[in-house]
Every structure is written in C-alpha cells, then in structure tokens.
Amino acid sequence: MAEDNKPQGSQGPTDAEKKAAEEKAKAESDAKAKAEAEAKAKAEEDAKNNAGSDSKGVKMTYIGQFNGLSTKHGMFKKDVTVVMPKKIADELKKTNPGEFKFA
Amino acid sequence: MPVANTLKYTPMGVGFYDEMQKIAKGMDADRDNFFTKALTYDGSSSGADFIPEKWAANIIRQIYEKAVHRQLFNTYVMSAIKENIPKFTSRMSGSYQSASITSTDPANQLGLSSPTTGEREIELKTLYINLMVDNKFLVYNASPQIEEKLMDDLVEAIAETELTAIINGDDSTTHQDSDVTVASDARKAFKGLRKLATATAVDASGGAYGIDDFNKQLRYLGRYARGKYDQCVLFVSPAGAEDMRQWTQLQTMEKYGPNAVVVKGEVGKVQNVTVIETDLVRDDLNASGVNGATTTLNVFTVAILCNAKMQYMGVPKYADRTLKIRKWDDPRFDRKQLIALEDFGFQTEFTESICIAKNITSA
C-alpha cells in the first residue's frame, strides 16, 4: 500500500518536498519581478511615444473615400475620432497621407 | 436597310457570341437578325478585305473569351445614353404579428416592411481602337499570319481598353492617378472599381499581400460576400499574384475538379473566390492606392475584391452602337484605317460591394 512507503511518525514535509516548495516560491517571485519590469518598460515606452502630446495620445479621424480603414493597429471607421499613441499616428500619417485628420 | 430594333437575343452571354459567329459564317440566313446588322454596317463591307468576314465575327467572340469582365459581370442593356439601375438600399425585414386576432385597433394593423430604394446612373461612353495600316505593308505581307496577328492585337486591345477603364477608371475632372492626363485616355470614360470602392479598406502596411488581408476584405464586403463567395472576384496585379502563390490556401486549377468554370486570367481560387491576375491592376501606386505625383512613393499595388453580380456593364440595345469594325481606305496617304468602335458603360450597384486592400508592396 502507498501509505506504507511513508516513514512512520513523520511530521510535516520531507526534505525533497521542502526544496520543491522553495523552488516554486522563488520561480513565482522571479516571474512577478519580470512582469513588473516589463510593465514598467512598457509604461516608459508609451510615455516616450506620447511625448509632445497629452497623456492620452493623438486624436485622429479617418476621412478617406472608404467606409473605414483596417490597419495593423486596428480599424478606423470613417468620421469617427479615436485617440492613438503618437508613434502610430505618425506612422499612419506617413503611409496614408491625406486620409486622416488630426486634432 | 433600317436597323432592326427588336432583338432576337439580348447582347449578353456566350450564346450571343456563338450566334454572331454563325451568322458571319453564313450559317444563318435570317437577315433581320441583330448581329447581321452589327456586322454589316454600311452594306457588306465591314471588315471585308482586310479582315475576312468570318474573322470579324471571331474578333467579337474572342473579345468575350479574352475579356474576363464580360464573363463575370452583369450586362445591362440600355436604350438611352443614360439610364438608372434601381436598387434596394435596405433589406426587407419580416415582423411578428403580435396583436390579438379580435383586435380592431388601427394601431394593431400589420406594419409595412418598407425597404428603401435608390438608383445608380449608368452612362454609355464610346470606346474605340483606331489602327492605321500601310497599304504597301499589307500587300507585301498579306499572309494569313499577319492578318491573324493584327486580329489578335485588335481583340486584345479592345478587351484591355474595357477592363482598364473598369479597374482604373475615373471621370472626375482630375483623375485619381496623377499620370492619367490625356483627355482621350480610356481610363477617363467612367468611374471604375478602384474609384467606386467604399467598403472598409484594408491596409497591408507596406508588406506583402497576406491571407489575413484577404480574409479582412471578405469580412468588410459584409453581406455582399457572405454566402456568395462564388460570385466574388479578386483582381490582383502580378506582384499581388506573386504573393498569393505562396499561400497554402490558394487553390490552383488542378484542384478544381472536372466541372469547374475557368475564366480568362484566372490563377486560382481562395475560399471559392475567383482570383484574376492582370497587369491592368497597377503596380505603381502609392500607399493610398492611387498613382501619386511623387513617383518615388509609387511602389505599392492594390487587390480589388468585389461581388461580380453587383457590377453592371452597360451595352447598347441598338445594333448600330454595339461593337463595329469599319475600314477606311485613304489613297491620299496610301493607307487603310481600321476603326473598331463601341458604346460601353460601367457602374456598380453598391459601392460597398467593392473592397480594396492597399499599401501592398510591389517591390
């Protein structure tokens, strides 16, 4: 029987179990630290992209001939104003000249 | 002899061209026939000598065979220069009868399922080919090969003239493409697919044409494509076709099966949508899908997806204005002029039935 394999009178986890728990805790704390660092880097990146505008980004409206424009940054419906990070707004301004109105 | 106004056949479909060929070959004695009239304008000399009569009919048949739009799009027979194609702009929708059967309250009448209607104007424009041939050249090179070559060229030219106007046309005061400036350019005859499109466009972000771009186009065609993929057609440039050949989703012709219908220029099907490769879809457009003034930015192409059954080609009802080939012998200059002329129009029923993917690299 499985229980027979356990040392009689054993109280609490064995050494192997203790080690595994420690490793697990360490991995969790590492992952947490990594996620925090990534979030911080992303926030910094976003702040950099939005430099020169307000914190919300750039207001832009698609005014081209189509009912909308689907880009890798998402879909812009005609005459609907959206707020985009400055970097994306600049990119779309460059690739689609005259198709967006910036506020 | 006056031109017969009653048509034996409407000028559309392969039957039309078959019939035309039969008559030209003398296999049909019905002289009042529409097509006889079309081919024997001004007596019996149309296309004679220079192009034997049976070949004149061949030309017209081959235009059908070489013109993908004639095989795919709808034909609208017109008796006036301008006509309006009626359409429903909203769908009828059914309702539920909720009132009690004994109710006599006027408010409980069955409500009307009023669909809204609209119309699109289609106008016939005159397209032509004017081919000048030196008499001397004709006499010393009067072999069937030369004539056949000229015939092929003429057919190709007429088919291409129609298709380039359908794809690139724009009759605005300033053409959408900055390099189309000559007043007689066929691309100024009417607005074509690229100009008319209003379905949400797909921006390929300067990359290759990908299956995800195509799938987005299908989505944005909305109800004009759903359940009707077999009616849809995708026009791509050679650069676009190059990208598509790498798609695992592209179904090439050997996989179609025995009952497939293959049209001119077809390179395959994706999701049952016919793919047409033609260099009339320009490879020198800018990221916005037009040929811009800054030529260094014209390094992109477009892919045009449309529902072919929503696109209308206007053809004249009167035989006198359908495709005619006339010859003019001018001894003063020792030459012959061969003029092929027809009235032709194009319009879309719904601009939302055309979707463009632009900003596709053609480098």
Side-chain angles (χ1 to χ4, degrees), chain B residues 226-245:
Chain B
R226 271 195 296 278
K228 309 181 189 88
Y229 289 172
D230 57 328
Q231 293 178 6
C232 293
V233 55
L234 178 73
F235 290 98
V236 289
S237 70
E242 180 191 356
D243 295 338
M244 291 186 75
R245 283 190 199 99

Side-chain angles (χ1 to χ4, degrees), chain A residues 65 67-68 70 75 95-96 99, chain B residues 195 198 201 203 287-288 358:
Chain A
Q65 69 165 314
N67 290 341
S70 173
M75 189 167 85
T95 56
N96 297 281
E99 291 187 56
Chain B
K195 179 71 181 178
T198 62
D203 186 334
S288 299
K358 55 184 192 158

Side-chain angles (χ1 to χ4, degrees), chain B residues 88 90-93 111-117:
Chain B
F88 283 118
S90 76
R91 282 197 284 190
M92 281 175 263
S93 58
L112 287 173
S113 321
S114 313
T116 52
T117 52

Side-chain angles (χ1 to χ4, degrees), chain B residues 158-200:
Chain B
I158 293 170
E160 280 195 6
T161 306
E162 287 175 1
L163 190 56
T164 192
I166 286 175
I167 292 175
N168 302 307
D170 181 8
D171 61 357
S172 314
T173 315
T174 308
H175 194 278
Q176 58 180 347
D177 295 331
S178 59
D179 62 346
V180 179
T181 50
V182 180
S184 60
D185 197 311
R187 288 171 288 183
K188 285 194 164 193
F190 39 74
K191 286 187 179 68
L193 293 170
R194 186 150 56 89
K195 179 71 181 178
L196 289 167
T198 62
T200 296

